[in-house]
Amino acid sequence: MTDSRWWIYLQRLMGDDNAMTAAQRAGISASNFSRWKKGANADPEFVVKIARAYHANVLEALVEAEFITEDEAGLTEVRVGEQELLRTIDIVPLTEEVTRRVRLLKAHGSTEKKPSATVHKLPERRAPLTSARGAASRRKKEMYPETPDEGV
C-alpha cells in the first residue's frame, strides 16, 4: 500500500514533530494520525486545524487532502509551512534580513510588528434575563416596537 497524498503532505509539514506533538499543536486526537497513515481520509475541519497550527496555506492543505483541486484553489505552486519556505530563500537575502532584524532589535528593543487585523468593538451585552418568557418578550419588543406590553 502506498502512502496517500495527504499522509505525504503531513509528513513534510510536521518535519521532526511526532504525531502526539502535531496533534497537540492542532488540538486534535493523535489517533487521527494512525488512521491517516493507514490511508483514511481526513475530515476537512482537521485539515484546516493542522494547516493553521503549522502556519501553512489552508487551501494547499485542502488540495493535498484532495477536498479541492489545484484549479479550485487557484494554486500554481505548493509550499509547505514556514520551514519549507525558508529553505527556498537564497542565503544572501536571508542573511541580510536576519542582520536587519538583529540591528533593529538592538536599536529599539523590539522587532517590527506585522500589521494587525482591524478590531471592531462589539456592542455591550445587556443584563441577563431571568426567564425564557422575559427573553421572548424582549425579542418581540425589539422586532415589533409598536406592540404594547402584554403584562409581562
Side-chain angles (χ1 to χ4, degrees), residues 9 13 50-58 60-61 79-82:
Y9 170 81
L13 187 68
I50 289 170
R52 288 179 178 158
Y54 281 91
H55 307 290
N57 184 308
V58 171
E60 291 173 10
R79 297 193 188 268
V80 180
E82 293 173 346

Side-chain angles (χ1 to χ4, degrees), residues 7-56:
W7 182 249
I8 293 167
Y9 170 81
L10 267 178
Q11 289 178 306
R12 287 192 337 247
L13 187 68
M14 290 166 37
D16 294 332
D17 287 352
N18 61 29
M20 183 63 72
T21 302
Q24 288 173 343
R25 280 180 77 164
I28 62 174
S29 170
S31 64
N32 289 301
F33 291 86
S34 299
R35 289 193 297 277
W36 295 334
K37 186 174 184 176
K38 293 176 185 173
N41 293 329
D43 182 280
E45 181 180 351
F46 293 160
V47 172
V48 170
K49 284 183 176 187
I50 289 170
R52 288 179 178 158
Y54 281 91
H55 307 290

Side-chain angles (χ1 to χ4, degrees), residues 79-91 93-95 97-98 101:
R79 297 193 188 268
V80 180
E82 293 173 346
Q83 291 177 348
E84 188 68 25
L85 177 61
L86 288 174
R87 288 186 194 110
T88 66
I89 300 173
D90 186 57
I91 191 68
L94 182 60
T95 305
E97 179 62 17
V98 169
R101 290 185 186 199

Side-chain angles (χ1 to χ4, degrees), residues 94-118:
L94 182 60
T95 305
E96 290 171 351
E97 179 62 17
V98 169
T99 303
R100 183 188 72 78
R101 290 185 186 199
V102 168
R103 286 185 183 141
L104 188 64
L105 182 62
K106 287 180 180 178
H108 302 288
S110 68
T111 58
E112 295 174 346
K113 295 185 178 186
K114 294 179 183 176
S116 61
T118 304

